[in-house]
Amino acid sequence: MIRFSRLWQLMTAGLLLMLSAGHTFSQPKPQMVRMAKIVVDPAQLEAYKAALKEEIEASVRLEPGVLTLYAMTEKDNPTHITILEIYANTDAYKAHIQTPHFLKYKTGTKDMVKALELVETVPLVPDMKIK
């Protein structure tokens, strides 16, 4: 007679074997991290900053896949803005750029932006959390 604990082990091993034979288990998608480097028309800087603030606040509040959008200006050149963008994964980013608040920002600021460079990055410590 097979003991219950041995039967449980056999059933568990068999189930795992069946599952692994017929299915692949996907790894979680890595975060998408990049910097957006923007040069803004000096005459429109305040309007741009207001639009950016509105967009960032809505994105972080409404989209769970937007982990952070951290905007900063260069100390000696305030029309040069860099945004650290961290998304849960590329799907979160793709969803983000389709949202009404992002589209409003993008269309509303297109004539304010003189230059845009998107710099894809690789985090050196990918599991680091922002406090």
Side-chain angles (χ1 to χ4, degrees):
M1 178 174 248
I2 299 177
R3 298 165 126 205
F4 177 76
S5 62
R6 180 67 181 144
L7 180 60
W8 181 254
Q9 288 175 339
L10 291 171
M11 288 173 46
T12 304
L15 179 60
L16 288 173
L17 183 60
M18 287 184 339
L19 287 174
S20 64
H23 296 85
T24 57
F25 297 97
S26 61
Q27 296 293 324
K29 295 180 180 179
Q31 290 181 346
M32 179 181 168
V33 181
R34 75 173 182 197
M35 293 184 302
K37 296 182 176 189
I38 302 163
V39 179
V40 178
D41 174 17
Q44 301 184 71
L45 182 59
E46 293 309 312
Y48 176 83
K49 290 191 320 188
L52 179 61
K53 181 179 187 288
E54 179 181 315
E55 194 280 328
I56 286 175
E57 288 174 346
S59 296
V60 172
R61 183 179 72 251
L62 300 172
E63 299 177 67
V66 175
L67 303 181
T68 195
L69 295 172
Y70 192 84
M72 60 210 107
T73 63
E74 291 181 18
K75 187 174 184 176
D76 295 329
N77 201 351
T79 61
H80 289 229
I81 296 172
T82 300
I83 305 168
L84 172 63
E85 304 178 24
I86 305 176
Y87 304 94
N89 52 47
T90 55
D91 291 340
Y93 168 72
K94 289 175 184 175
H96 166 68
I97 61 173
Q98 298 301 315
T99 61
H101 49 270
F102 178 79
L103 294 172
K104 177 184 174 188
Y105 157 79
K106 193 69 174 172
T107 58
T109 61
K110 69 178 177 0
D111 294 330
M112 300 176 188
V113 175
K114 295 172 62 177
L116 169 63
E117 178 186 8
L118 300 175
V119 180
E120 301 300 323
T121 68
V122 177
L124 296 177
V125 186
D127 295 330
M128 180 63 70
K129 302 295 180 206
I130 296 175
K131 289 185 180 182

